[in-house]
Amino acid sequence: MNMPGADSGPAPRLGIAENDPVRRRIERLMPGLADAIAPRARRFASRSARPRREIVHEGDMPSGLWVLRSGWAAHVRHFADGRRQIQHLLLPGDPLPLDRGGPYPATIMALNAATVIDLDGLWLGEPAGLDEMVRRHGRESIRYLLGAIARLGRQSAIERFAHLLLELRDRLLAIGLASTTRFDLPLTQEMLADTLGLTSVHVNRTLQAMRQQGLIELAGRKVTLLRAEELAGLADYTSPMVPAQDIG
């Protein structure tokens, strides 16, 4: 696995606690698998990546089953003139590969300080469970990518923001990192622009408009959805997630 942005020195082996986002994500993708691969005594190989550095490069073949344990990452496309598109955001618990039998279809970049762990290993009695987990993750990713196509192709700037914020709220809620109205958004305006197909100036204006309309509240990295139902109507958004416990 290509890790040009990895920190130097040996990385510690990390476990998965009961409420770890990785465990929650595994359980949603493949109920029962988390208990098989995440006993408290188990420690997994880990690697770290600095912000804005590649974790894997497009065309690399998967080696092991690396999962994002902390931080945010993204599938990205870089253009010859320096432009960048963030095609899909990866959150804690998300597997990196979409297909263990084929190359990575896009470069994956750490958006902030990130850690990945390898769930694979000879100790696992039923590797088919991990393969099925990756397949289900791939199907979910396709759904999110189709949503992104609709956002970019047909929605206004404010509709794009509403749709993205609701999608992130649901995905973070499912892994215990959000409430129904509040979550951390560790993305710069430049990253949001690359995700939503806007300029940084347009991002700033749209966020200010949403605040003035009483739709959202921003405090540092924390976003509060003040009128989530109205945002859903504005973005024509229907949650694909099974309701998870609200952590407040």
Side-chain angles (χ1 to χ4, degrees):
M1 179 175 171
N2 184 26
M3 287 282 292
D7 293 333
S8 59
R13 298 180 71 84
L14 301 176
I16 303 176
E18 188 70 26
N19 292 323
D20 195 296
V22 174
R23 188 181 181 95
R24 291 174 182 259
R25 178 70 172 135
I26 292 171
E27 188 62 23
R28 281 190 170 270
L29 286 170
M30 193 74 177
L33 183 61
D35 289 334
I37 68 174
R40 292 191 177 188
R42 183 70 62 191
R43 293 292 181 269
F44 301 94
S46 72
R47 294 180 180 177
S48 59
R50 295 186 294 274
R52 300 175 181 267
R53 299 299 296 273
E54 287 186 5
I55 300 176
V56 297
H57 190 74
E58 179 181 354
D60 287 349
M61 287 296 297
S63 174
L65 205 178
W66 294 89
V67 172
L68 189 64
R69 186 175 187 271
S70 64
W72 287 33
H75 292 96
V76 299
R77 168 74 184 276
H78 291 95
F79 296 89
D81 61 3
R83 289 176 298 164
R84 180 184 69 186
Q85 182 184 22
I86 292 179
Q87 298 167 316
H88 178 56
L89 294 167
L90 296 175
L91 307 180
D94 281 340
L96 300 190
L98 299 179
D99 176 7
R100 294 232 277 169
Y104 285 96
T107 293
I108 297 177
M109 183 181 75
L111 299 180
N112 50 19
T115 303
V116 295
I117 59 173
D118 184 8
L119 299 184
D120 218 345
L122 297 176
W123 55 268
L124 186 63
E126 298 183 3
L130 288 179
D131 291 334
E132 178 60 23
M133 182 187 75
V134 172
R135 282 192 289 270
R136 294 182 183 186
H137 168 67
R139 289 196 292 269
E140 269 196 9
S141 298
I142 289 172
R143 185 171 67 242
Y144 292 129
L145 287 167
L146 290 174
I149 291 172
R151 278 199 301 264
L152 296 173
R154 288 299 183 199
Q155 290 191 316
S156 67
I158 196 168
E159 290 168 346
R160 294 180 198 185
F161 257 107
H163 194 280
L164 178 65
L165 292 175
L166 289 166
E167 178 188 297
L168 290 173
R169 185 275 312 269
D170 285 346
R171 292 174 62 191
L172 290 167
L173 181 61
I175 55 175
L177 295 180
S179 73
T180 54
T181 59
R182 185 175 301 172
F183 58 92
D184 285 337
L185 184 67
L187 302 179
T188 65
Q189 290 192 5
E190 177 189 6
M191 292 172 183
L192 288 169
D194 291 341
T195 303
L196 295 171
L198 304 169
T199 65
S200 294
V201 172
H202 203 168
V203 164
N204 183 268
R205 289 174 178 169
T206 304
L207 286 174
Q208 294 305 320
M210 295 177 77
R211 294 175 70 177
Q212 291 168 6
Q213 293 174 35
L215 295 172
I216 65 172
E217 182 178 276
L218 297 174
R221 302 194 322 171
K222 192 170 292 293
V223 176
T224 302
L225 308 181
L226 299 174
R227 286 148 54 191
E229 290 186 5
E230 187 171 337
L231 287 170
L234 183 67
D236 194 23
Y237 179 84
T238 302
S239 173
M241 308 296 293
V242 176
Q245 183 178 2
D246 189 335
I247 64 170

